Amino acid sequence: MLKFKGSIIVFFNIIFAIIVISERRLQALEITVPSSVTINLNTVSANIPGSITVSNGSTLQLSSGTITVSNNGNWSNSGTFTPGSSIVQFTGTSHAISGSSTFYNLKCEIPGGTINFEA
């Protein structure tokens, strides 16, 4: 973990992601939670222009706050997602949600776009 000018850059093993946290706002290209890892984002608000992947045996936890999956990012969960009272919001034009996830508050703001749920 490197720290500079109030921001943090985190590199996860094998799967690469960059996360910058500043004043409780998170900007990341993509988040992949590797197997056997737990990430707790607590109350942070996050903009993820890529995809979020929770791998088998891993956990992504939120207590509140908002995760925005923008552009054409996707949500894939084969591990554990604990939403707390958070908001997961999709913006952009095309998204997919796969795996088993229970959202506390799911918002989809994709005018003229599509969101596909795994059957």
Side-chain angles (χ1 to χ4, degrees), residues 4 6 8 10 13 15 17 23 35 38 46 49 53 55 57 65 71 76 79 81 86 91-92 97 100 114:
F4 62 97
I8 299 172
V10 179
N13 59 356
I15 309 295
E23 298 177 18
S35 183
T38 297
T53 303
S55 302
N71 296 340
S76 175
F81 171 60
S86 66
T91 62
I97 296 176
S100 177
T114 60

Side-chain angles (χ1 to χ4, degrees), residues 105-117:
N105 188 345
L106 177 64
K107 293 175 76 175
C108 301
E109 297 178 2
I110 49 174
T114 60
I115 189 161
N116 294 305
F117 295 88

Side-chain angles (χ1 to χ4, degrees), residues 18-85:
I18 297 176
I19 300 174
V20 178
I21 301 173
S22 178
E23 298 177 18
R24 294 189 169 253
R25 293 204 49 84
L26 177 126
Q27 185 77 22
L29 300 175
E30 185 168 293
I31 292 180
T32 298
V33 184
S35 183
S36 303
V37 171
T38 297
I39 293 180
N40 188 336
L41 296 178
N42 289 321
T43 61
V44 79
S45 291
N47 180 31
I48 315 297
S51 295
I52 295 177
T53 303
V54 182
S55 302
N56 187 26
S58 64
T59 302
L60 175 61
Q61 299 174 337
L62 295 135
S63 56
S64 62
T66 302
I67 292 181
T68 301
V69 181
S70 56
N71 296 340
N72 292 325
N74 299 312
W75 180 279
S76 175
N77 182 20
S78 56
T80 302
F81 171 60
T82 307
S85 59

Side-chain angles (χ1 to χ4, degrees), residues 84-107:
S85 59
S86 66
I87 299 168
V88 175
Q89 173 177 296
F90 289 87
T91 62
T93 58
S94 177
H95 301 280
I97 296 176
S98 63
S100 177
S101 293
T102 300
F103 300 99
Y104 177 79
N105 188 345
L106 177 64
K107 293 175 76 175

